[in-house]
Amino acid sequence: MPKRTTYFVSDGTGITAEMFGNAILAQFDMDSRRVRLPFVDTVDKAHQAIRQINHSFDLDKHKPIVFTTLVNPEVQEVFAQHCQALVMDMFGRFVRPLEEELGIKSHHRVGRFTDISKSKEYSDRMEAINYTLAHDDGQSNTDLASADVILVGVSRSGKTPTSLYLAMQYGLKVANYPLIPEDFERRQLPAALVPLKKKLFGLTILPERLSEIRNERRPGSRYASLENCRMEVHEAESMMRRAGVSWLSTTTKSIEEISTTILQELLPGRMAVQ
């Protein structure tokens, strides 16, 4: 299949268009160069974006694919009239049918994040991110009781990216705690975590994959050796099993899948995005 260029165009950050567009494109085996064009909120900016998109058409000799989340009718009209691409107007496809069904008009507000930044939910999310950063990789045992979730597992098993995703996407305060050789020698969870067992969730990983990841960071070290990785993973899984801590392997799972499993297990009431 010929290579296509895909654009995600929005009058805001473009994150919604990109996430939705990528989910759709994942259904197709195709090579695509992907470009996000945020803050296209005036007619002049629309024309600038279209010149870039149409130039891709000239280079690729195939229509680009454009996912848009644009609420300004004048900007939408510029794309409809001048864009030499397959334009997927996501708001048009979903907002207008909802307006008809509900019998009310949508707000058609540009830049909804301006409103969000003043809300309590936004403040709570920022607080959760700060908490999560301060409690990354066992940096602090202070105020662990305030955590919504505490992730445990061997080093490089995916705790940090999962913690940040839960904080940013769901506004959760997440601490993550690496299990270290001293914990394996004692064959029990760190003392600071024992009273908080209901908040614990374990992450594990195949030793072979763990060795690959660690070798990227410390090539040839004992820390990265397959033998050591096998030992650490075995001891960590045994420890979590004895302590009754739920856990899953991150080897073949995305952060989204890992986070969803954690929420289902510990906080089913928080499955809705904040």
Side-chain angles (χ1 to χ4, degrees), residues 231-261:
M231 181 278 292
E232 288 195 17
V233 168
H234 172 75
E235 290 297 331
E237 291 179 358
S238 297
M239 182 187 302
M240 291 186 286
R241 192 176 292 111
R242 288 195 301 271
V245 174
S246 297
W247 50 274
L248 64 77
S249 173
T250 63
T251 309
T252 60
K253 294 188 181 298
S254 66
I255 291 174
E256 292 84 356
E257 290 174 309
I258 297 166
S259 299
T260 299
T261 302

Short mmCIF file of all heavy atoms in Angstrom, two decimals, residues 231-261:
data_model
loop_
_atom_site.label_atom_id
_atom_site.label_comp_id
_atom_site.label_asym_id
_atom_site.label_seq_id
_atom_site.Cartn_x
_atom_site.Cartn_y
_atom_site.Cartn_z
N MET A 231 15.81 -14.32 38.49
CA MET A 231 15.74 -14.41 39.95
C MET A 231 14.80 -13.34 40.51
O MET A 231 13.91 -13.62 41.32
CB MET A 231 17.13 -14.25 40.55
CG MET A 231 17.17 -14.36 42.09
SD MET A 231 16.73 -12.82 42.97
CE MET A 231 18.14 -11.78 42.52
N GLU A 232 14.96 -12.09 40.05
CA GLU A 232 14.17 -10.99 40.60
C GLU A 232 12.68 -11.18 40.27
O GLU A 232 11.82 -10.97 41.14
CB GLU A 232 14.66 -9.66 40.05
CG GLU A 232 16.00 -9.22 40.63
CD GLU A 232 16.29 -7.75 40.36
OE1 GLU A 232 15.35 -7.00 40.02
OE2 GLU A 232 17.46 -7.34 40.48
N VAL A 233 12.38 -11.54 39.05
CA VAL A 233 10.99 -11.72 38.67
C VAL A 233 10.36 -12.86 39.47
O VAL A 233 9.23 -12.74 39.96
CB VAL A 233 10.86 -11.99 37.15
CG1 VAL A 233 9.46 -12.46 36.79
CG2 VAL A 233 11.22 -10.73 36.36
N HIS A 234 11.08 -13.97 39.61
CA HIS A 234 10.57 -15.11 40.38
C HIS A 234 10.30 -14.70 41.83
O HIS A 234 9.22 -15.01 42.38
CB HIS A 234 11.56 -16.26 40.34
CG HIS A 234 11.20 -17.40 41.26
ND1 HIS A 234 10.18 -18.29 40.97
CD2 HIS A 234 11.72 -17.76 42.47
CE1 HIS A 234 10.08 -19.15 41.97
NE2 HIS A 234 11.00 -18.86 42.88
N GLU A 235 11.26 -14.02 42.44
CA GLU A 235 11.10 -13.63 43.84
C GLU A 235 9.98 -12.61 44.01
O GLU A 235 9.21 -12.67 44.98
CB GLU A 235 12.41 -13.04 44.38
CG GLU A 235 13.53 -14.06 44.53
CD GLU A 235 13.20 -15.14 45.56
OE1 GLU A 235 12.44 -14.85 46.51
OE2 GLU A 235 13.69 -16.28 45.41
N ALA A 236 9.87 -11.68 43.07
CA ALA A 236 8.82 -10.67 43.17
C ALA A 236 7.44 -11.30 43.05
O ALA A 236 6.52 -10.99 43.83
CB ALA A 236 9.02 -9.60 42.10
N GLU A 237 7.28 -12.19 42.08
CA GLU A 237 5.99 -12.84 41.90
C GLU A 237 5.64 -13.71 43.10
O GLU A 237 4.48 -13.75 43.54
CB GLU A 237 5.99 -13.66 40.62
CG GLU A 237 6.03 -12.80 39.35
CD GLU A 237 6.04 -13.62 38.08
OE1 GLU A 237 6.07 -14.88 38.18
OE2 GLU A 237 6.04 -13.03 36.98
N SER A 238 6.63 -14.40 43.63
CA SER A 238 6.39 -15.24 44.81
C SER A 238 5.98 -14.39 46.00
O SER A 238 5.05 -14.73 46.75
CB SER A 238 7.66 -16.03 45.16
OG SER A 238 8.01 -16.92 44.12
N MET A 239 6.64 -13.24 46.16
CA MET A 239 6.33 -12.34 47.27
C MET A 239 4.91 -11.80 47.16
O MET A 239 4.15 -11.78 48.14
CB MET A 239 7.32 -11.17 47.29
CG MET A 239 7.11 -10.19 48.44
SD MET A 239 8.19 -8.74 48.27
CE MET A 239 9.81 -9.54 48.24
N MET A 240 4.53 -11.38 45.95
CA MET A 240 3.19 -10.83 45.77
C MET A 240 2.13 -11.91 45.97
O MET A 240 1.06 -11.66 46.53
CB MET A 240 3.08 -10.19 44.39
CG MET A 240 3.92 -8.91 44.27
SD MET A 240 3.70 -8.00 42.71
CE MET A 240 4.60 -9.05 41.56
N ARG A 241 2.45 -13.13 45.52
CA ARG A 241 1.50 -14.23 45.70
C ARG A 241 1.30 -14.52 47.18
O ARG A 241 0.16 -14.71 47.64
CB ARG A 241 2.04 -15.47 44.97
CG ARG A 241 1.01 -16.59 44.83
CD ARG A 241 1.56 -17.75 44.02
NE ARG A 241 1.78 -17.40 42.62
CZ ARG A 241 2.98 -17.28 42.05
NH1 ARG A 241 4.09 -17.49 42.76
NH2 ARG A 241 3.08 -16.97 40.77
N ARG A 242 2.38 -14.55 47.94
CA ARG A 242 2.28 -14.82 49.38
C ARG A 242 1.51 -13.71 50.10
O ARG A 242 0.75 -13.97 51.04
CB ARG A 242 3.67 -14.94 50.00
CG ARG A 242 4.41 -16.21 49.65
CD ARG A 242 5.61 -16.41 50.58
NE ARG A 242 6.55 -15.29 50.49
CZ ARG A 242 7.56 -15.22 49.61
NH1 ARG A 242 7.75 -16.20 48.74
NH2 ARG A 242 8.37 -14.18 49.60
N ALA A 243 1.71 -12.47 49.65
CA ALA A 243 1.07 -11.34 50.32
C ALA A 243 -0.37 -11.12 49.86
O ALA A 243 -1.08 -10.28 50.43
CB ALA A 243 1.89 -10.07 50.06
N GLY A 244 -0.80 -11.86 48.85
CA GLY A 244 -2.16 -11.69 48.35
C GLY A 244 -2.35 -10.42 47.54
O GLY A 244 -3.45 -9.86 47.51
N VAL A 245 -1.29 -9.96 46.86
CA VAL A 245 -1.35 -8.76 46.03
C VAL A 245 -1.64 -9.15 44.59
O VAL A 245 -0.95 -10.00 44.02
CB VAL A 245 -0.01 -7.98 46.11
CG1 VAL A 245 -0.02 -6.80 45.14
CG2 VAL A 245 0.25 -7.51 47.54
N SER A 246 -2.66 -8.55 44.00
CA SER A 246 -2.97 -8.81 42.60
C SER A 246 -1.86 -8.25 41.71
O SER A 246 -1.30 -7.20 42.01
CB SER A 246 -4.30 -8.17 42.21
OG SER A 246 -5.36 -8.73 42.95
N TRP A 247 -1.57 -8.94 40.61
CA TRP A 247 -0.51 -8.46 39.72
C TRP A 247 -0.77 -8.96 38.31
O TRP A 247 -1.55 -9.87 38.08
CB TRP A 247 0.86 -8.92 40.22
CG TRP A 247 1.00 -10.38 40.52
CD1 TRP A 247 0.69 -10.99 41.70
CD2 TRP A 247 1.48 -11.42 39.65
NE1 TRP A 247 0.94 -12.34 41.62
CE2 TRP A 247 1.43 -12.63 40.38
CE3 TRP A 247 1.95 -11.44 38.34
CZ2 TRP A 247 1.83 -13.84 39.83
CZ3 TRP A 247 2.35 -12.64 37.78
CH2 TRP A 247 2.30 -13.82 38.54
N LEU A 248 -0.10 -8.31 37.36
CA LEU A 248 -0.19 -8.74 35.97
C LEU A 248 1.15 -8.51 35.29
O LEU A 248 1.98 -7.74 35.76
CB LEU A 248 -1.31 -8.01 35.23
CG LEU A 248 -1.25 -6.48 35.04
CD1 LEU A 248 -0.28 -6.07 33.95
CD2 LEU A 248 -2.63 -5.95 34.70
N SER A 249 1.33 -9.19 34.16
CA SER A 249 2.55 -9.03 33.38
C SER A 249 2.37 -7.90 32.36
O SER A 249 1.37 -7.85 31.65
CB SER A 249 2.89 -10.32 32.64
OG SER A 249 3.99 -10.13 31.76
N THR A 250 3.34 -7.02 32.31
CA THR A 250 3.30 -5.89 31.38
C THR A 250 3.95 -6.21 30.03
O THR A 250 3.99 -5.36 29.16
CB THR A 250 4.03 -4.68 31.98
OG1 THR A 250 5.42 -5.00 32.16
CG2 THR A 250 3.43 -4.30 33.33
N THR A 251 4.44 -7.43 29.86
CA THR A 251 5.27 -7.77 28.71
C THR A 251 4.62 -7.43 27.38
O THR A 251 5.24 -6.83 26.50
CB THR A 251 5.62 -9.27 28.72
OG1 THR A 251 6.15 -9.62 29.99
CG2 THR A 251 6.66 -9.59 27.63
N THR A 252 3.37 -7.78 27.21
CA THR A 252 2.70 -7.58 25.92
C THR A 252 1.51 -6.63 26.03
O THR A 252 0.68 -6.58 25.12
CB THR A 252 2.21 -8.91 25.35
OG1 THR A 252 1.28 -9.51 26.27
CG2 THR A 252 3.38 -9.88 25.12
N LYS A 253 1.42 -5.88 27.13
CA LYS A 253 0.26 -5.01 27.32
C LYS A 253 0.65 -3.54 27.20
O LYS A 253 1.73 -3.13 27.59
CB LYS A 253 -0.37 -5.27 28.70
CG LYS A 253 -0.98 -6.65 28.82
CD LYS A 253 -1.76 -6.80 30.11
CE LYS A 253 -2.35 -8.20 30.24
NZ LYS A 253 -3.30 -8.50 29.17
N SER A 254 -0.27 -2.75 26.68
CA SER A 254 -0.07 -1.30 26.60
C SER A 254 -0.34 -0.67 27.96
O SER A 254 -0.96 -1.29 28.84
CB SER A 254 -1.02 -0.70 25.57
OG SER A 254 -2.37 -0.82 26.01
N ILE A 255 0.10 0.57 28.11
CA ILE A 255 -0.16 1.30 29.35
C ILE A 255 -1.67 1.42 29.58
O ILE A 255 -2.14 1.31 30.71
CB ILE A 255 0.50 2.69 29.31
CG1 ILE A 255 2.02 2.55 29.36
CG2 ILE A 255 0.03 3.57 30.47
CD1 ILE A 255 2.76 3.85 29.17
N GLU A 256 -2.41 1.64 28.51
CA GLU A 256 -3.86 1.76 28.63
C GLU A 256 -4.48 0.47 29.16
O GLU A 256 -5.36 0.51 30.03
CB GLU A 256 -4.48 2.12 27.28
CG GLU A 256 -4.13 3.51 26.77
CD GLU A 256 -2.79 3.57 26.03
OE1 GLU A 256 -2.08 2.54 25.97
OE2 GLU A 256 -2.45 4.65 25.53
N GLU A 257 -4.02 -0.67 28.65
CA GLU A 257 -4.55 -1.96 29.12
C GLU A 257 -4.17 -2.21 30.57
O GLU A 257 -4.99 -2.67 31.37
CB GLU A 257 -4.01 -3.09 28.25
CG GLU A 257 -4.55 -3.11 26.83
CD GLU A 257 -3.88 -4.15 25.96
OE1 GLU A 257 -2.64 -4.18 25.91
OE2 GLU A 257 -4.61 -4.93 25.32
N ILE A 258 -2.93 -1.90 30.92
CA ILE A 258 -2.47 -2.09 32.30
C ILE A 258 -3.30 -1.23 33.25
O ILE A 258 -3.80 -1.70 34.29
CB ILE A 258 -0.98 -1.73 32.43
CG1 ILE A 258 -0.12 -2.66 31.57
CG2 ILE A 258 -0.53 -1.80 33.90
CD1 ILE A 258 1.30 -2.16 31.38
N SER A 259 -3.48 0.04 32.88
CA SER A 259 -4.20 0.97 33.74
C SER A 259 -5.65 0.56 33.91
O SER A 259 -6.22 0.64 35.01
CB SER A 259 -4.12 2.39 33.16
OG SER A 259 -2.77 2.83 33.09
N THR A 260 -6.27 0.10 32.83
CA THR A 260 -7.66 -0.33 32.91
C THR A 260 -7.82 -1.52 33.84
O THR A 260 -8.76 -1.59 34.65
CB THR A 260 -8.20 -0.69 31.51
OG1 THR A 260 -8.14 0.47 30.67
CG2 THR A 260 -9.64 -1.18 31.58
N THR A 261 -6.88 -2.46 33.78
CA THR A 261 -6.93 -3.62 34.68
C THR A 261 -6.78 -3.19 36.13
O THR A 261 -7.49 -3.70 37.01
CB THR A 261 -5.81 -4.62 34.31
OG1 THR A 261 -5.97 -5.03 32.95
CG2 THR A 261 -5.86 -5.84 35.22
#
